[in-house]
Amino acid sequence: EIVLTQSPGTLSLSLGERATLSCRASQSVSGRYLAWYQQRPGQAPRLLIYDASSRATGIPDRFSGSGSGTDFTLTISRLEPEDLAVYYCQQYGSSPLTFGGGTKVET
Amino acid sequence: QEQLVQSGSELKKPGASVKVSCQASGYSFITYALHWVRQAPGQGLEWMGWINTNTANPTYGQGFTGRFVFSLDTSDSTAYLQISSLKAEDTAIYYCARRTSLAFDMWGQGTKVTVSS
């Protein structure tokens, strides 16, 4: 099983600042099959990034993903109020599919 | 439009069973697999497994064998999650999610299951 470790657990920033979230895998993620999801309070998760760096439909370009192998990053270039949420990474290249523990972005 | 709509909240006693539904609309139901994800109160996301909507073959993740059953009603474009012999630790929000080449690109709104005496 691939274990995903996200850091930091909580990221405290000001609006307009750049947010950098990390997701480290215990072994190489097959085919760059790494996704990022946003979960706002009381809502279902929403797909932001798939295949490590491709933005899902309707996702603003301030969100970007990068990385390969075991190290992946989600960057929010300028934090907006609606970006305050918990972000999860997920690998979907090998079974069992696994999620990271999440990073909470707050002000 | 494409969407997954889940059944409403459930309050059950320990030892009872619950069946959560996930109805798809706006796309061909049998084209994409459906996955189930659990979120315990204040916790992260946990993958439970998935069901092949074309063959109805289920695959269960570790910790979700025995009491958990995935099933389908393709005539109604609906997937089901049934949990038997409920325990307090089954209290969670259960999500269905569509798996495409774009990972989990669509999620149901979630069904809250509370197990309490």
Side-chain angles (χ1 to χ4, degrees), chain A:
Chain A
E1 170 177 330
I2 296 178
V3 176
L4 299 178
T5 302
Q6 291 189 241
S7 61
T10 302
L11 190 55
S12 298
L13 296 168
S14 300
L15 297 179
E17 284 196 299
R18 182 185 191 89
T20 302
L21 287 66
S22 172
C23 176
R24 180 160 292 176
S26 60
Q27 54 188 282
S28 185
V29 174
S30 169
R32 297 185 81 223
Y33 290 139
L34 192 288
W36 290 93
Y37 300 88
Q38 176 193 66
Q39 187 176 35
R40 294 171 176 151
Q43 295 187 16
R46 175 175 73 142
L47 177 66
L48 297 177
I49 301 288
Y50 63 95
D51 293 353
S53 60
S54 297
R55 265 189 306 277
T57 303
I59 301 304
D61 60 8
R62 65 178 181 273
F63 290 92
S64 63
S66 62
S68 64
T70 61
D71 287 293
F72 298 87
T73 300
L74 174 69
T75 302
I76 310 172
S77 59
R78 296 171 309 280
L79 204 60
E80 300 282 344
E82 60 267 30
D83 301 337
L84 304 181
V86 180
Y87 294 82
Y88 295 95
C89 59
Q90 177 208 33
Q91 69 80 22
Y92 51 100
S94 55
S95 189
L97 280 63
T98 49
F99 291 93
T103 292
K104 182 178 183 179
V105 175
E106 62 178 28
T107 57

Side-chain angles (χ1 to χ4, degrees), chain B residues 50-67:
Chain B
W50 66 285
I51 187 162
N52 184 318
T53 52
N54 196 34
T55 65
N57 183 50
T59 299
Y60 300 98
Q62 284 184 340
F64 297 101
T65 55
R67 297 189 300 116

Side-chain angles (χ1 to χ4, degrees), chain B residues 12-18 67 83-88 90 113 115:
Chain B
K12 296 290 184 181
K13 294 190 184 303
S17 295
V18 69
R67 297 189 300 116
I83 311 171
S84 58
S85 303
L86 283 163
K87 308 174 183 180
D90 294 322
V113 174
V115 183

